[in-house]
Short mmCIF file of all heavy atoms in Angstrom, two decimals:
data_model
loop_
_atom_site.label_atom_id
_atom_site.label_comp_id
_atom_site.label_asym_id
_atom_site.label_seq_id
_atom_site.Cartn_x
_atom_site.Cartn_y
_atom_site.Cartn_z
N MET R 1 106.29 37.23 56.72
CA MET R 1 104.87 37.28 56.42
C MET R 1 104.09 36.48 57.45
O MET R 1 104.59 35.51 58.00
CB MET R 1 104.59 36.68 55.04
CG MET R 1 105.10 37.48 53.89
SD MET R 1 103.85 38.65 53.41
CE MET R 1 104.75 39.55 52.18
N ALA R 2 102.87 36.85 57.64
CA ALA R 2 101.99 36.10 58.53
C ALA R 2 101.19 35.09 57.72
O ALA R 2 100.83 35.34 56.57
CB ALA R 2 101.04 37.05 59.25
N TRP R 3 100.93 33.96 58.32
CA TRP R 3 100.14 32.90 57.70
C TRP R 3 98.72 32.98 58.24
O TRP R 3 98.51 33.29 59.41
CB TRP R 3 100.76 31.55 58.00
CG TRP R 3 102.10 31.36 57.38
CD1 TRP R 3 103.29 31.84 57.84
CD2 TRP R 3 102.38 30.67 56.17
NE1 TRP R 3 104.30 31.49 56.98
CE2 TRP R 3 103.77 30.76 55.96
CE3 TRP R 3 101.60 29.98 55.27
CZ2 TRP R 3 104.39 30.17 54.86
CZ3 TRP R 3 102.21 29.39 54.16
CH2 TRP R 3 103.59 29.49 53.97
N SER R 4 97.74 32.67 57.39
CA SER R 4 96.34 32.72 57.82
C SER R 4 95.51 31.75 56.98
O SER R 4 95.94 31.31 55.91
CB SER R 4 95.78 34.13 57.68
OG SER R 4 95.80 34.54 56.33
N TRP R 5 94.32 31.45 57.49
CA TRP R 5 93.37 30.59 56.80
C TRP R 5 92.19 31.40 56.32
O TRP R 5 91.72 32.29 57.01
CB TRP R 5 92.85 29.49 57.73
CG TRP R 5 93.90 28.51 58.14
CD1 TRP R 5 94.56 28.48 59.34
CD2 TRP R 5 94.41 27.43 57.37
NE1 TRP R 5 95.45 27.45 59.35
CE2 TRP R 5 95.38 26.78 58.16
CE3 TRP R 5 94.14 26.96 56.09
CZ2 TRP R 5 96.08 25.66 57.70
CZ3 TRP R 5 94.84 25.85 55.64
CH2 TRP R 5 95.80 25.22 56.44
N ARG R 6 91.70 31.06 55.14
CA ARG R 6 90.44 31.60 54.64
C ARG R 6 89.44 30.45 54.62
O ARG R 6 89.74 29.36 54.15
CB ARG R 6 90.60 32.17 53.23
CG ARG R 6 89.29 32.78 52.70
CD ARG R 6 89.48 33.46 51.38
NE ARG R 6 89.74 32.46 50.34
CZ ARG R 6 90.23 32.74 49.15
NH1 ARG R 6 90.52 33.99 48.82
NH2 ARG R 6 90.44 31.78 48.26
N TYR R 7 88.24 30.69 55.13
CA TYR R 7 87.21 29.67 55.25
C TYR R 7 86.24 29.81 54.09
O TYR R 7 85.82 30.91 53.76
CB TYR R 7 86.48 29.81 56.59
CG TYR R 7 87.45 30.00 57.74
CD1 TYR R 7 87.57 31.22 58.38
CD2 TYR R 7 88.25 28.95 58.15
CE1 TYR R 7 88.46 31.40 59.41
CE2 TYR R 7 89.17 29.13 59.20
CZ TYR R 7 89.26 30.36 59.82
OH TYR R 7 90.15 30.52 60.84
N GLU R 8 85.86 28.66 53.50
CA GLU R 8 85.04 28.68 52.28
C GLU R 8 83.99 27.57 52.31
O GLU R 8 84.14 26.58 53.02
CB GLU R 8 85.95 28.47 51.06
CG GLU R 8 87.10 29.45 50.98
CD GLU R 8 88.14 29.07 49.95
OE1 GLU R 8 88.02 28.00 49.32
OE2 GLU R 8 89.09 29.84 49.77
N THR R 9 82.96 27.76 51.47
CA THR R 9 82.02 26.68 51.19
C THR R 9 82.67 25.78 50.14
O THR R 9 83.73 26.10 49.60
CB THR R 9 80.69 27.22 50.66
OG1 THR R 9 80.93 27.88 49.42
CG2 THR R 9 80.01 28.15 51.65
N ALA R 10 82.02 24.67 49.81
CA ALA R 10 82.57 23.74 48.83
C ALA R 10 82.76 24.37 47.46
O ALA R 10 83.67 24.00 46.72
CB ALA R 10 81.66 22.51 48.72
N ASP R 11 81.94 25.37 47.11
CA ASP R 11 82.06 26.02 45.81
C ASP R 11 83.00 27.22 45.81
O ASP R 11 83.14 27.92 44.82
CB ASP R 11 80.70 26.42 45.25
CG ASP R 11 80.02 27.54 46.05
OD1 ASP R 11 80.62 28.07 47.01
OD2 ASP R 11 78.88 27.89 45.69
N GLY R 12 83.66 27.49 46.95
CA GLY R 12 84.64 28.57 47.03
C GLY R 12 84.13 29.89 47.56
O GLY R 12 84.89 30.86 47.64
N THR R 13 82.86 29.95 47.95
CA THR R 13 82.33 31.18 48.54
C THR R 13 83.03 31.43 49.88
O THR R 13 83.10 30.53 50.72
CB THR R 13 80.81 31.07 48.77
OG1 THR R 13 80.18 30.82 47.51
CG2 THR R 13 80.25 32.33 49.39
N VAL R 14 83.56 32.62 50.06
CA VAL R 14 84.30 32.97 51.28
C VAL R 14 83.31 33.20 52.42
O VAL R 14 82.30 33.88 52.25
CB VAL R 14 85.17 34.22 51.04
CG1 VAL R 14 85.87 34.63 52.33
CG2 VAL R 14 86.19 33.96 49.95
N LEU R 15 83.64 32.61 53.57
CA LEU R 15 82.81 32.74 54.77
C LEU R 15 83.50 33.63 55.80
O LEU R 15 84.71 33.77 55.80
CB LEU R 15 82.57 31.36 55.40
CG LEU R 15 81.87 30.33 54.53
CD1 LEU R 15 81.89 28.98 55.23
CD2 LEU R 15 80.45 30.77 54.24
N GLY R 16 82.72 34.16 56.71
CA GLY R 16 83.23 34.93 57.83
C GLY R 16 82.26 34.79 58.99
O GLY R 16 81.31 34.03 58.92
N GLY R 17 82.50 35.49 60.05
CA GLY R 17 81.60 35.45 61.18
C GLY R 17 82.34 35.12 62.46
O GLY R 17 83.50 34.71 62.44
N ALA R 18 81.65 35.30 63.56
CA ALA R 18 82.25 35.12 64.88
C ALA R 18 82.73 33.69 65.11
O ALA R 18 83.70 33.48 65.84
CB ALA R 18 81.25 35.53 65.96
N GLU R 19 82.06 32.69 64.50
CA GLU R 19 82.45 31.30 64.71
C GLU R 19 83.71 30.94 63.93
O GLU R 19 84.30 29.89 64.15
CB GLU R 19 81.33 30.34 64.28
CG GLU R 19 80.03 30.55 65.03
CD GLU R 19 79.15 31.59 64.35
OE1 GLU R 19 79.31 31.83 63.14
OE2 GLU R 19 78.32 32.19 65.03
N LEU R 20 84.11 31.78 62.99
CA LEU R 20 85.26 31.51 62.15
C LEU R 20 86.33 32.57 62.43
O LEU R 20 86.34 33.65 61.84
CB LEU R 20 84.85 31.52 60.67
CG LEU R 20 83.82 30.45 60.31
CD1 LEU R 20 83.24 30.71 58.93
CD2 LEU R 20 84.46 29.07 60.37
N PRO R 21 87.24 32.25 63.33
CA PRO R 21 88.22 33.24 63.80
C PRO R 21 89.21 33.67 62.74
O PRO R 21 89.57 32.90 61.85
CB PRO R 21 88.94 32.51 64.94
CG PRO R 21 88.78 31.07 64.61
CD PRO R 21 87.45 30.95 63.92
N GLU R 22 89.66 34.91 62.83
CA GLU R 22 90.69 35.44 61.95
C GLU R 22 92.02 35.39 62.71
O GLU R 22 92.41 36.35 63.34
CB GLU R 22 90.35 36.86 61.52
CG GLU R 22 89.11 36.93 60.67
CD GLU R 22 88.83 38.33 60.16
OE1 GLU R 22 89.78 39.13 60.03
OE2 GLU R 22 87.65 38.61 59.89
N GLU R 23 92.67 34.26 62.61
CA GLU R 23 93.94 34.03 63.30
C GLU R 23 95.11 34.32 62.37
O GLU R 23 95.03 34.04 61.17
CB GLU R 23 94.04 32.58 63.77
CG GLU R 23 92.96 32.15 64.73
CD GLU R 23 93.21 32.59 66.15
OE1 GLU R 23 94.35 32.90 66.51
OE2 GLU R 23 92.23 32.63 66.91
N LEU R 24 96.19 34.85 62.92
CA LEU R 24 97.44 35.02 62.18
C LEU R 24 98.50 34.18 62.88
O LEU R 24 98.54 34.12 64.11
CB LEU R 24 97.88 36.49 62.16
CG LEU R 24 96.95 37.44 61.41
CD1 LEU R 24 97.47 38.87 61.54
CD2 LEU R 24 96.84 37.05 59.94
N PHE R 25 99.38 33.56 62.09
CA PHE R 25 100.38 32.64 62.62
C PHE R 25 101.76 33.04 62.11
O PHE R 25 101.90 33.46 60.96
CB PHE R 25 100.06 31.22 62.19
CG PHE R 25 98.68 30.78 62.59
CD1 PHE R 25 97.62 30.93 61.71
CD2 PHE R 25 98.44 30.25 63.84
CE1 PHE R 25 96.33 30.55 62.06
CE2 PHE R 25 97.16 29.87 64.21
CZ PHE R 25 96.10 30.02 63.32
N PRO R 26 102.80 32.87 62.94
CA PRO R 26 104.14 33.26 62.51
C PRO R 26 104.78 32.29 61.52
O PRO R 26 105.74 32.65 60.83
CB PRO R 26 104.94 33.30 63.81
CG PRO R 26 104.21 32.38 64.73
CD PRO R 26 102.77 32.46 64.34
N SER R 27 104.24 31.05 61.42
CA SER R 27 104.82 30.07 60.50
C SER R 27 103.73 29.17 59.93
O SER R 27 102.64 29.05 60.48
CB SER R 27 105.85 29.20 61.23
OG SER R 27 105.20 28.32 62.13
N ARG R 28 104.08 28.52 58.84
CA ARG R 28 103.16 27.57 58.21
C ARG R 28 102.85 26.42 59.17
O ARG R 28 101.72 25.98 59.29
CB ARG R 28 103.77 27.04 56.91
CG ARG R 28 102.92 26.04 56.19
CD ARG R 28 103.56 25.61 54.89
NE ARG R 28 102.72 24.65 54.20
CZ ARG R 28 102.80 24.40 52.91
NH1 ARG R 28 103.69 25.04 52.17
NH2 ARG R 28 102.01 23.51 52.36
N GLY R 29 103.88 25.95 59.86
CA GLY R 29 103.69 24.85 60.80
C GLY R 29 102.71 25.21 61.91
O GLY R 29 101.89 24.38 62.31
N ASP R 30 102.81 26.43 62.42
CA ASP R 30 101.86 26.87 63.46
C ASP R 30 100.44 26.90 62.92
O ASP R 30 99.50 26.49 63.59
CB ASP R 30 102.25 28.25 63.99
CG ASP R 30 103.51 28.24 64.82
OD1 ASP R 30 103.86 27.19 65.38
OD2 ASP R 30 104.16 29.31 64.92
N ALA R 31 100.27 27.39 61.70
CA ALA R 31 98.94 27.47 61.09
C ALA R 31 98.37 26.07 60.88
O ALA R 31 97.20 25.81 61.18
CB ALA R 31 99.01 28.21 59.75
N GLU R 32 99.20 25.15 60.40
CA GLU R 32 98.73 23.78 60.15
C GLU R 32 98.42 23.05 61.45
O GLU R 32 97.45 22.30 61.53
CB GLU R 32 99.75 23.03 59.31
CG GLU R 32 99.82 23.57 57.89
CD GLU R 32 100.94 23.00 57.07
OE1 GLU R 32 101.94 22.50 57.65
OE2 GLU R 32 100.84 23.05 55.83
N SER R 33 99.23 23.26 62.48
CA SER R 33 98.94 22.64 63.78
C SER R 33 97.63 23.14 64.36
O SER R 33 96.83 22.35 64.87
CB SER R 33 100.08 22.93 64.78
OG SER R 33 101.25 22.28 64.38
N TRP R 34 97.40 24.44 64.26
CA TRP R 34 96.15 25.02 64.75
C TRP R 34 94.96 24.44 64.02
O TRP R 34 93.96 24.07 64.64
CB TRP R 34 96.21 26.54 64.59
CG TRP R 34 94.96 27.23 65.02
CD1 TRP R 34 94.63 27.64 66.28
CD2 TRP R 34 93.84 27.59 64.18
NE1 TRP R 34 93.39 28.23 66.28
CE2 TRP R 34 92.88 28.21 65.00
CE3 TRP R 34 93.57 27.44 62.84
CZ2 TRP R 34 91.67 28.68 64.51
CZ3 TRP R 34 92.37 27.91 62.34
CH2 TRP R 34 91.43 28.52 63.17
N LEU R 35 95.07 24.30 62.71
CA LEU R 35 93.98 23.73 61.93
C LEU R 35 93.70 22.29 62.35
O LEU R 35 92.56 21.87 62.48
CB LEU R 35 94.26 23.79 60.43
CG LEU R 35 93.13 23.28 59.55
CD1 LEU R 35 91.90 24.18 59.67
CD2 LEU R 35 93.59 23.15 58.11
N GLY R 36 94.77 21.54 62.60
CA GLY R 36 94.62 20.16 63.04
C GLY R 36 93.85 20.04 64.35
O GLY R 36 93.17 19.05 64.59
N GLU R 37 93.93 21.06 65.18
CA GLU R 37 93.25 21.06 66.47
C GLU R 37 91.82 21.61 66.38
O GLU R 37 91.00 21.33 67.25
CB GLU R 37 94.04 21.89 67.48
CG GLU R 37 95.39 21.30 67.79
CD GLU R 37 96.27 22.25 68.60
OE1 GLU R 37 95.80 23.33 68.99
OE2 GLU R 37 97.44 21.90 68.83
N THR R 38 91.52 22.41 65.36
CA THR R 38 90.24 23.13 65.34
C THR R 38 89.35 22.84 64.13
O THR R 38 88.26 23.40 64.03
CB THR R 38 90.47 24.66 65.40
OG1 THR R 38 91.24 25.04 64.26
CG2 THR R 38 91.19 25.07 66.67
N TRP R 39 89.76 21.96 63.22
CA TRP R 39 89.01 21.77 61.97
C TRP R 39 87.58 21.33 62.20
O TRP R 39 86.68 21.76 61.47
CB TRP R 39 89.75 20.83 61.04
CG TRP R 39 89.77 19.40 61.47
CD1 TRP R 39 90.71 18.81 62.28
CD2 TRP R 39 88.84 18.38 61.12
NE1 TRP R 39 90.40 17.49 62.46
CE2 TRP R 39 89.25 17.19 61.76
CE3 TRP R 39 87.69 18.35 60.34
CZ2 TRP R 39 88.57 15.99 61.63
CZ3 TRP R 39 87.00 17.16 60.21
CH2 TRP R 39 87.44 15.99 60.85
N ARG R 40 87.30 20.52 63.21
CA ARG R 40 85.93 20.08 63.46
C ARG R 40 85.03 21.25 63.84
O ARG R 40 83.90 21.37 63.37
CB ARG R 40 85.89 19.01 64.55
CG ARG R 40 86.41 17.68 64.11
CD ARG R 40 86.37 16.65 65.26
NE ARG R 40 86.93 15.39 64.85
CZ ARG R 40 88.21 15.06 64.99
NH1 ARG R 40 89.07 15.92 65.49
NH2 ARG R 40 88.64 13.88 64.60
N ARG R 41 85.54 22.13 64.67
CA ARG R 41 84.77 23.32 65.08
C ARG R 41 84.50 24.22 63.87
O ARG R 41 83.41 24.76 63.71
CB ARG R 41 85.51 24.07 66.17
CG ARG R 41 84.78 25.30 66.67
CD ARG R 41 85.48 25.92 67.88
NE ARG R 41 86.88 26.19 67.63
CZ ARG R 41 87.41 27.40 67.48
NH1 ARG R 41 86.64 28.46 67.54
NH2 ARG R 41 88.69 27.55 67.26
N LEU R 42 85.50 24.37 63.02
CA LEU R 42 85.33 25.20 61.81
C LEU R 42 84.30 24.57 60.88
O LEU R 42 83.45 25.27 60.33
CB LEU R 42 86.68 25.34 61.09
CG LEU R 42 87.80 26.02 61.89
CD1 LEU R 42 89.11 25.93 61.13
CD2 LEU R 42 87.44 27.44 62.23
N ARG R 43 84.37 23.26 60.72
CA ARG R 43 83.40 22.58 59.87
C ARG R 43 81.98 22.72 60.44
O ARG R 43 81.04 22.97 59.71
CB ARG R 43 83.78 21.11 59.71
CG ARG R 43 82.90 20.39 58.69
CD ARG R 43 83.24 18.95 58.57
NE ARG R 43 83.01 18.31 59.86
CZ ARG R 43 83.41 17.10 60.16
NH1 ARG R 43 84.08 16.38 59.30
NH2 ARG R 43 83.15 16.58 61.34
N ASP R 44 81.85 22.58 61.76
CA ASP R 44 80.55 22.73 62.40
C ASP R 44 80.00 24.15 62.23
O ASP R 44 78.79 24.35 62.23
CB ASP R 44 80.64 22.39 63.89
CG ASP R 44 80.87 20.91 64.13
OD1 ASP R 44 80.70 20.10 63.19
OD2 ASP R 44 81.24 20.56 65.27
N ALA R 45 80.89 25.12 62.05
CA ALA R 45 80.49 26.51 61.85
C ALA R 45 80.16 26.82 60.39
O ALA R 45 79.81 27.95 60.06
CB ALA R 45 81.57 27.46 62.36
N GLY R 46 80.30 25.82 59.51
CA GLY R 46 79.90 26.01 58.11
C GLY R 46 81.01 25.98 57.08
O GLY R 46 80.74 25.99 55.89
N ALA R 47 82.27 25.96 57.52
CA ALA R 47 83.37 25.91 56.55
C ALA R 47 83.48 24.49 55.99
O ALA R 47 83.48 23.52 56.74
CB ALA R 47 84.69 26.31 57.22
N GLU R 48 83.52 24.39 54.68
CA GLU R 48 83.67 23.08 54.03
C GLU R 48 85.08 22.87 53.50
O GLU R 48 85.49 21.74 53.25
CB GLU R 48 82.66 22.95 52.90
CG GLU R 48 81.22 22.96 53.42
CD GLU R 48 80.23 22.94 52.30
OE1 GLU R 48 79.87 21.83 51.85
OE2 GLU R 48 79.84 24.04 51.85
N ARG R 49 85.80 23.97 53.30
CA ARG R 49 87.19 23.89 52.90
C ARG R 49 87.91 25.13 53.39
O ARG R 49 87.28 26.14 53.75
CB ARG R 49 87.34 23.70 51.40
CG ARG R 49 86.95 24.89 50.57
CD ARG R 49 87.05 24.59 49.09
NE ARG R 49 87.12 25.82 48.32
CZ ARG R 49 87.13 25.87 47.01
NH1 ARG R 49 87.11 24.76 46.31
NH2 ARG R 49 87.19 27.04 46.39
N VAL R 50 89.24 25.06 53.40
CA VAL R 50 90.06 26.18 53.84
C VAL R 50 91.20 26.39 52.84
O VAL R 50 91.64 25.45 52.18
CB VAL R 50 90.66 25.95 55.25
CG1 VAL R 50 89.58 25.97 56.31
CG2 VAL R 50 91.45 24.66 55.32
N THR R 51 91.64 27.64 52.74
CA THR R 51 92.80 27.97 51.93
C THR R 51 93.83 28.62 52.83
O THR R 51 93.50 29.54 53.59
CB THR R 51 92.43 28.91 50.77
OG1 THR R 51 91.48 28.24 49.93
CG2 THR R 51 93.65 29.30 49.94
N LEU R 52 95.07 28.13 52.77
CA LEU R 52 96.16 28.69 53.55
C LEU R 52 96.84 29.80 52.75
O LEU R 52 97.16 29.61 51.57
CB LEU R 52 97.18 27.61 53.90
CG LEU R 52 98.36 28.06 54.73
CD1 LEU R 52 97.92 28.56 56.11
CD2 LEU R 52 99.38 26.93 54.88
N PHE R 53 97.04 30.93 53.42
CA PHE R 53 97.70 32.09 52.80
C PHE R 53 99.01 32.41 53.52
O PHE R 53 99.07 32.37 54.74
CB PHE R 53 96.81 33.33 52.87
CG PHE R 53 95.73 33.35 51.85
CD1 PHE R 53 94.55 32.65 52.03
CD2 PHE R 53 95.90 34.06 50.67
CE1 PHE R 53 93.55 32.67 51.08
CE2 PHE R 53 94.91 34.08 49.71
CZ PHE R 53 93.73 33.38 49.91
N ASP R 54 100.01 32.74 52.72
CA ASP R 54 101.27 33.32 53.21
C ASP R 54 101.21 34.78 52.79
O ASP R 54 101.46 35.11 51.63
CB ASP R 54 102.45 32.60 52.58
CG ASP R 54 103.79 33.17 53.02
OD1 ASP R 54 103.81 34.04 53.92
OD2 ASP R 54 104.82 32.75 52.45
N GLY R 55 100.80 35.63 53.74
CA GLY R 55 100.54 37.02 53.38
C GLY R 55 99.33 37.07 52.46
O GLY R 55 98.25 36.61 52.82
N ASP R 56 99.52 37.58 51.25
CA ASP R 56 98.43 37.66 50.26
C ASP R 56 98.45 36.52 49.25
O ASP R 56 97.64 36.50 48.33
CB ASP R 56 98.51 38.99 49.51
CG ASP R 56 98.25 40.18 50.40
OD1 ASP R 56 97.50 40.03 51.38
OD2 ASP R 56 98.80 41.26 50.12
N THR R 57 99.38 35.58 49.41
CA THR R 57 99.54 34.50 48.43
C THR R 57 98.92 33.21 48.93
O THR R 57 99.29 32.70 49.99
CB THR R 57 101.05 34.27 48.17
OG1 THR R 57 101.64 35.49 47.72
CG2 THR R 57 101.25 33.19 47.12
N ALA R 58 97.96 32.67 48.17
CA ALA R 58 97.35 31.38 48.51
C ALA R 58 98.37 30.27 48.24
O ALA R 58 99.01 30.24 47.18
CB ALA R 58 96.10 31.16 47.67
N THR R 59 98.55 29.38 49.22
CA THR R 59 99.51 28.29 49.05
C THR R 59 98.83 26.96 48.74
O THR R 59 99.36 26.18 47.96
CB THR R 59 100.41 28.13 50.28
OG1 THR R 59 99.61 27.88 51.42
CG2 THR R 59 101.23 29.39 50.50
N TYR R 60 97.69 26.67 49.36
CA TYR R 60 96.92 25.49 49.01
C TYR R 60 95.53 25.55 49.62
O TYR R 60 95.29 26.28 50.57
CB TYR R 60 97.61 24.18 49.38
CG TYR R 60 97.73 23.89 50.86
CD1 TYR R 60 96.72 23.21 51.55
CD2 TYR R 60 98.88 24.25 51.56
CE1 TYR R 60 96.85 22.92 52.90
CE2 TYR R 60 99.00 23.96 52.91
CZ TYR R 60 98.00 23.30 53.57
OH TYR R 60 98.13 23.02 54.91
N THR R 61 94.61 24.75 49.04
CA THR R 61 93.23 24.63 49.52
C THR R 61 93.00 23.19 49.92
O THR R 61 93.49 22.26 49.26
CB THR R 61 92.25 25.05 48.42
OG1 THR R 61 92.49 26.42 48.08
CG2 THR R 61 90.81 24.90 48.88
N MET R 62 92.24 23.00 51.00
CA MET R 62 92.00 21.68 51.55
C MET R 62 90.57 21.53 52.03
O MET R 62 90.02 22.46 52.62
CB MET R 62 92.98 21.48 52.71
CG MET R 62 92.87 20.24 53.46
SD MET R 62 94.28 20.15 54.58
CE MET R 62 93.43 20.47 56.09
N SER R 63 89.98 20.38 51.79
CA SER R 63 88.62 20.08 52.24
C SER R 63 88.60 19.80 53.73
O SER R 63 89.52 19.19 54.28
CB SER R 63 88.08 18.86 51.48
OG SER R 63 86.83 18.47 52.01
N LEU R 64 87.52 20.20 54.40
CA LEU R 64 87.31 19.85 55.80
C LEU R 64 86.27 18.73 55.92
O LEU R 64 85.89 18.36 57.03
CB LEU R 64 86.83 21.07 56.59
CG LEU R 64 87.80 22.22 56.71
CD1 LEU R 64 87.21 23.35 57.53
CD2 LEU R 64 89.12 21.77 57.31
N ASN R 65 85.84 18.18 54.82
CA ASN R 65 84.83 17.13 54.86
C ASN R 65 85.42 15.77 55.16
O ASN R 65 84.69 14.84 55.46
CB ASN R 65 84.03 17.11 53.56
CG ASN R 65 83.15 18.33 53.45
OD1 ASN R 65 82.60 18.80 54.43
ND2 ASN R 65 83.04 18.87 52.25
N ASP R 66 86.73 15.62 55.08
CA ASP R 66 87.40 14.38 55.45
C ASP R 66 88.23 14.66 56.69
O ASP R 66 88.69 15.78 56.91
CB ASP R 66 88.33 13.92 54.32
CG ASP R 66 87.57 13.63 53.05
OD1 ASP R 66 86.46 13.08 53.13
OD2 ASP R 66 88.09 13.97 51.97
N GLU R 67 88.45 13.66 57.49
CA GLU R 67 89.25 13.85 58.69
C GLU R 67 90.69 14.15 58.31
O GLU R 67 91.23 13.58 57.37
CB GLU R 67 89.19 12.61 59.59
CG GLU R 67 87.83 12.44 60.20
CD GLU R 67 87.83 11.42 61.31
OE1 GLU R 67 88.89 11.16 61.89
OE2 GLU R 67 86.76 10.92 61.61
N ILE R 68 91.28 15.06 59.07
CA ILE R 68 92.68 15.45 58.85
C ILE R 68 93.58 14.44 59.53
O ILE R 68 93.33 14.01 60.61
CB ILE R 68 92.93 16.87 59.39
CG1 ILE R 68 92.12 17.86 58.60
CG2 ILE R 68 94.40 17.22 59.34
CD1 ILE R 68 92.19 19.27 59.10
#
């Protein structure tokens, strides 16, 4: 399965747009490393939290309002 992030507001509204890339990753570790490098840019684009997906299954949700 491919791993991906979904970008959300604090209340869970799903966000999209050119500033919020739709990346796919071969592993959870790759997805988490990418987030560690890009979370500030995502937050600046309006994402307040993210949810990690393994295929269609949500694995966890995390706030971007605190430093990673």
Side-chain angles (χ1 to χ4, degrees):
M1 291 271 175
W3 294 80
S4 62
W5 294 102
R6 181 175 70 195
Y7 314 108
E8 306 169 356
T9 63
D11 68 2
T13 301
V14 177
L15 301 172
E19 301 88 23
L20 298 168
E22 295 184 26
E23 300 280 340
L24 295 177
F25 304 93
S27 71
R28 179 178 180 159
D30 289 336
E32 291 172 338
S33 292
W34 178 86
L35 183 65
E37 296 170 4
T38 61
W39 70 272
R40 286 179 183 91
R41 181 173 53 109
L42 299 172
R43 187 182 62 191
D44 291 346
E48 296 175 88
R49 69 184 199 184
V50 292
T51 299
L52 181 63
F53 281 82
D54 179 7
D56 294 330
T57 303
T59 59
Y60 69 88
T61 299
M62 176 172 107
S63 173
L64 296 180
N65 291 323
D66 299 321
E67 291 193 22
I68 295 175

